[in-house]
Every structure is written in C-alpha cells, then in structure tokens.
Amino acid sequence: MGFFSKLFGTKQEEEQTMEKLNIGIILGSTREGRVSPQVGAWVKELADKRGDANYTVIDIADYKLPFLGEPGADASGAVAWSEIIAKQDGFVFIVQEYNHSITAALKNALDFLRDEWNNKAAGIVSYGSVGGARAAEHLRGILGELLVADVRVHPALSLFTDFENGTEFKPKEVQAESVNQMLDQVIPWSTALKTIRK
C-alpha cells in the first residue's frame, strides 16, 4: 500500500465508509382505522432529513402472515417478509398499545422470523392513552429474546395531546426532538452491530 493510500485510504475503503445503513420503520398495526401509517410517515420524514441512513417504511399489512402454525393458512408473504427484514441493519418500531401490550399482528410478525432479527438495533415510537409505554416495555422483552438491542430514548405519543380526536396525528414539537434523539442512538448501535454480523 502506497503512502497516499495509507494516508487517505483506498477507494474501496471510502465506499465502505460511505455505505449507508438500512433502517426499517415497521408499522405495528394492521387494524382498520389505524393511525400507524401517519406516525410512520412522520418518523420517515424526520429521519430522511438527517441523511444518515436509508429509511424504509415496512407495513406488516402488506405481507400475508397468518398466525404462526395455523394449519392450511396462506403464508405466501413469509418469504418476502424474511427478505425485507434481512436487508435491514436496524429498526424503528411504531407501536400502539392495545390492552396494555403490543398488537397480535406485530407479535406474530416478530415470531415468524429469528435469524433475520439477530444482532441489530431498534428504537421504539409508541402511542396510546399513556403514550403506549406498557406496549413498549412488552416489546423490549421480546426484542431482547430476538437479540435486538433496543435503545433507551423512547418517543411516547399521547392520544390526548398528539392526536386530534384520536385519529388525526398532530404531534407536539417536542416529539420531533425525541425522535432525533432516539435515532442518534439507533444509528451508532446499528453501525456497531453490523460489524459482528459479517
């Protein structure tokens, strides 16, 4: 290796350094009338402004994932689900609280895969009557079992103050700052964990 290559690095090293992470923004609800697409679009808009990763909204509703182990069910979406999750280096989960926990659709989608989740990082954006805090805490336990490292900062959106009539998403300004603080943790953790998956 020549002097200038040692000093400035090679073109290949430069390309590897500039290669952006893939972060999937996962919509955790499939229910009719859900507001998760509004929240996911808002998170993506904020994230795209950062320019530090390739952010993609991943909607569980777009994949045919029957309840795991359900006999004779159409699981034609399982391969595509596996492929899209495997491509991600980290995640942001959009989580809504139902009966003090996450949705059945999200739990099922998580259970459908194993290796594809391993050694990646995740942030959680939750919403509900108490900001979706109990759902987020349940999700943390599940992510730990799947070897997903969840970050500490957790934007918690209130149905009373961040939504109009519980259906139209109008977040308070402070929430955008919270999302950026969360991503400030997701990106370095995702970068670090990528090194052990190679």
Side-chain angles (χ1 to χ4, degrees):
M1 182 181 279
F3 172 75
F4 286 107
S5 293
K6 284 182 180 176
L7 188 61
F8 298 110
T10 65
K11 184 172 182 184
Q12 185 179 6
E13 288 171 338
E14 187 179 313
E15 285 172 359
Q16 286 174 345
T17 303
M18 293 178 66
E19 186 181 322
K20 288 185 179 179
L21 296 170
N22 295 317
I23 305 294
I25 300 169
I26 299 181
L27 305 186
S29 176
T30 59
R31 292 189 179 188
E32 190 176 341
R34 64 197 174 134
V35 295
S36 56
Q38 294 177 60
V39 179
W42 171 71
V43 169
K44 184 176 187 325
E45 183 182 351
L46 292 171
D48 284 343
K49 288 177 184 173
R50 298 166 58 92
D52 55 1
N54 300 313
Y55 295 93
T56 305
V57 173
I58 301 172
D59 191 346
I60 294 170
D62 291 340
Y63 300 85
K64 285 193 186 240
L65 298 174
F67 283 111
L68 193 59
E70 189 178 349
D74 178 6
S76 58
V79 171
W81 178 243
S82 170
E83 288 172 352
I84 193 69
I85 297 304
K87 286 179 188 174
Q88 308 309 310
D89 298 302
F91 308 96
V92 174
F93 288 91
I94 309 299
V95 182
Q96 36 296 116
E97 184 172 315
Y98 293 134
N99 296 324
H100 289 207
S101 191
I102 62 173
T103 65
L106 177 56
K107 180 64 166 72
N108 188 58
L110 288 163
D111 290 346
F112 242 92
L113 307 175
R114 186 139 197 98
D115 293 344
E116 295 89 337
W117 299 113
N118 292 174
N119 298 314
K120 297 178 182 180
I124 300 169
V125 177
S126 66
Y127 62 87
S129 59
V130 291
R134 295 165 294 207
E137 289 308 308
H138 276 200
L139 179 58
R140 288 182 194 280
I142 297 163
L143 294 178
E145 182 62 22
L146 293 172
L147 299 182
V148 177
D150 57 280
V151 302
R152 179 182 163 276
V153 176
H154 160 214
L157 306 166
S158 169
L159 286 176
F160 303 114
T161 59
D162 295 303
F163 293 83
E164 194 170 281
N165 299 321
T167 57
E168 190 177 349
F169 185 48
K170 292 189 174 179
K172 299 292 180 195
E173 271 185 46
V174 68
Q175 299 292 11
E177 184 181 341
S178 186
V179 168
N180 277 302
Q181 289 172 356
M182 174 196 65
L183 292 173
D184 285 344
Q185 294 180 352
V186 171
I187 295 301
W189 282 34
S190 296
T191 302
L193 287 167
K194 188 173 184 176
T195 64
I196 67 172
R197 295 200 312 275
K198 290 184 177 180

